[in-house]
Amino acid sequence: MTSNTVFDEESCYRARADFPALTRKIDGHAIAFLDGPGGTQVPKPVIDAMVDCYHNRNVNTHGNFAPSAESDEQILEARCAVADMLGAAGPEQISIGQNMTTLAFSLARAIGRTIRPGDELLVTQLDHEANRGPWQLLTEQGAVVREVPLLPTGELDYAAMKRLITEKTRLLALGCSSNSIGTVNDMRLARELTRSVGALLILDAVHYAPHFPVHVNRLDPDFLLCSAYKFYGPHVGILYSRPGALDALPTDRLIVQENVSPYRIETGTLSPAGIEGVGAAVEYLARFGRGATRMETVHAAVAAIAVYEHELGQYLWSALEGLPGVRLWGVDFSQAMRAPTVSFTVDDVDAAAIAKSLGKVGICVWDGDFYAPRPVEILNVPGKSLVRVGFSMYNTKDEAERLVQCVAAVARQK
Ligand SMILES: Cc1ncc(COP(=O)(O)O)c(C=O)c1O
C-alpha cells in the first residue's frame, strides 16, 4: 500500500473525542475498551446518521413519497461506501443482512442446493464457527467436509491445504484473519488452489476488514463476509459477491423479492437506520485517509490505522512476554500481516478470573474461545480459554500499559 496517510498517537486522541463511550468510568476508573474483536464502539457521526434516519425517514424502501425516495438513496449510498471499502466494483456486489453468521447460513443453504453427494468442502481448524458450522451443515446434502489443519505455530498447514484441494473440492471457506489469535491467512494461495479446480472461495473478513484494506478486486473471492460492528458501525452484516456469483445461486427468496444481486439473498425488511450507520462508518474511517477517491481514502486510512494498531500489539506482546507465568498464543509481531489481537494465558489462573480482575478497573477484554472453539482445542489451550486483547483505532499505549500492570499483578499473586 503506497500512501502518505499517517495515523499516530495524536490522530488517535483526536479520534477518541468522537467516541462518547470512551468517556465512561467504571468505579472511578477510565474505561479501556480492549475488546474490539468482539465489537467496537461507535463514533458520534455514525450515531448521528442513525438518529437522523429515525428523525426523518424510518420508512420502507421503494415508496412513491419523499422520505422513501430519500431512504432508497441513502441505502444505495451506503452500499457504494461499503463497495469502496472492500474494493468492489459497485453497489450491486454488496448485500446486507442481520449479521455475518445469518448471511453465511443463507449462502450455505443456497450453495447446498448445488451440492451433490461426495462433493468435498474445506473448512479450517482456525476459523470462527460462523465460517465452519454453515458449511458443515451441508453434510446433510451428502457433502464431505474436510479441515485444513492448524499447526502449533498458530498458522494453517498450507502443505496440507494443497493436498486437500482436489478435483472433488467445491468450496474452501477460509477466514482472512483469526479472531482468536490474530493470524492472517494466505488468501492468494487459497484463490490459486481453488481456481485450479474450479472451487468457490468464501472468505470470512470479519476480523480482517477492521485492520487491513480489503481488495476484492485483487483477491477475487467468490464471496466475502464481514460485519460493520467490528469497524465502528452498527450491528449489520455484509456479503460481497463476485459479479455473477450470487445470481448463479438458488437463494431462499420470496417471489415478491427482487431476483438480482444484491437483493436476492436479502430476506425481509432490513434496518434502514442500521444501513445508514454502516455508510457513515465507512465515511468516518475515510476521514483519516488521503486519496483521490473514497476507495483510495478509506484504504489509506485503514492501512495507516493498522500500522498504529500493530505497534500497540507489538508493545503488548513484548511486555507480556517478559512476565513470568504468562504464555502468548499464535504468531508474534515480527510478521507485518498479523491482526493486532493478542491472546494469552497465565499459568494456573483461570482466563475468566483475569478478565474479571481487569474488568473491575475498567479494562474490557474477552475471555474464552470467542466462538472459535476449534483452535483452542487444537492448540491445547489450558481450560480451553484465552484472554484476548484487541486494539482498535481509539486505543492508546497508556491503556496497554495499564493492562500489563494488572496482568503482572495477577501473575505475581498466583
Ligand atoms: C472471525 C469472525 N467471523 C465471524 C463472526 C460472526 O460475525 P457476526 O457476529 O456478524 O455473525 C465473528 C464474530 O465475532 C468473527 O470474529
Side-chain angles (χ1 to χ4, degrees), residues 296-368:
E296 276 180 27
T297 314
V298 72
H299 281 167
V302 173
I305 293 166
V307 172
Y308 173 78
E309 292 170 338
H310 191 87
E311 280 168 13
L312 290 179
Q314 198 155 28
Y315 162 77
L316 181 64
W317 184 280
S318 311
L320 290 178
E321 207 172 25
L323 297 178
V326 172
R327 177 155 179 205
L328 290 148
W329 296 83
V331 292
D332 66 24
F333 279 75
S334 57
Q335 289 198 13
M337 285 303 277
R338 187 212 192 284
T341 299
V342 177
S343 285
F344 65 94
T345 48
V346 178
D347 290 348
D348 307 320
V349 187
D350 201 26
I354 300 168
K356 256 184 218 159
S357 70
L358 291 167
K360 281 193 187 130
V361 293
I363 301 174
C364 311
V365 297
W366 277 103
D367 61 280

Side-chain angles (χ1 to χ4, degrees), residues 37-38 99-102 128 130 177 179 204 206-207 227 229-230 370:
N99 47 50
M100 179 277 180
T101 306
T102 309
H128 188 285
S177 172
N179 69 312
D204 170 359
V206 173
H207 193 61
S227 258
Y229 74 96
K230 310 283 189 179
F370 330 114

Side-chain angles (χ1 to χ4, degrees), residues 2-198:
T2 53
S3 160
N4 54 3
T5 298
V6 173
F7 187 92
D8 54 15
E9 199 165 43
E10 200 189 314
S11 328
C12 168
Y13 277 98
R14 250 188 299 123
R16 283 177 66 84
D18 296 326
F19 288 82
L22 303 186
T23 59
R24 286 194 59 181
K25 294 229 186 299
I26 304 290
D27 281 342
H29 302 279
I31 202 154
F33 285 104
L34 293 168
D35 62 333
T40 50
Q41 297 310 303
V42 178
K44 189 84 172 31
V46 173
I47 299 169
D48 289 346
M50 291 191 283
V51 169
D52 186 62
C53 174
Y54 283 122
H55 277 179
N56 292 298
R57 50 183 174 281
N58 191 36
V59 295
N60 257 339
T61 51
H62 304 322
N64 291 312
F65 51 94
S68 183
E70 286 161 22
S71 182
D72 288 348
E73 209 174 291
Q74 293 289 336
I75 289 172
L76 178 64
E77 173 46 31
R79 286 189 210 269
C80 291
V82 174
D84 284 348
M85 179 166 173
L86 301 182
E92 51 299 325
Q93 263 62 71
I94 307 298
S95 305
I96 308 286
Q98 194 179 348
N99 47 50
M100 179 277 180
T101 306
T102 309
L103 282 166
F105 270 113
S106 304
L107 188 60
R109 266 178 70 82
I111 292 176
R113 295 196 179 99
T114 70
I115 292 290
R116 299 285 160 264
D119 283 351
E120 293 183 2
L121 315 179
L122 267 187
V123 298
T124 85
Q125 289 184 340
L126 182 55
D127 271 66
H128 188 285
E129 279 305 302
N131 200 31
R132 289 168 44 88
W135 313 112
Q136 278 162 334
L137 213 60
L138 301 189
T139 50
E140 289 172 5
Q141 261 70 41
V144 178
V145 178
R146 302 195 194 285
E147 285 183 315
V148 179
L150 175 62
L151 298 170
T153 55
E155 290 159 301
L156 289 176
D157 182 343
Y158 293 109
M161 184 190 272
K162 285 180 189 164
R163 281 195 305 274
L164 285 165
I165 294 192
T166 70
E167 292 297 325
K168 286 189 178 171
T169 309
R170 289 291 314 284
L171 73 81
L172 165 61
L174 176 73
C176 303
S177 172
S178 158
N179 69 312
S180 109
I181 51 172
T183 320
V184 170
N185 296 321
D186 191 340
M187 294 162 263
R188 281 178 206 283
L189 175 67
R191 181 67 284 185
E192 262 172 48
L193 295 174
T194 46
R195 183 162 290 135
S196 70
V197 296

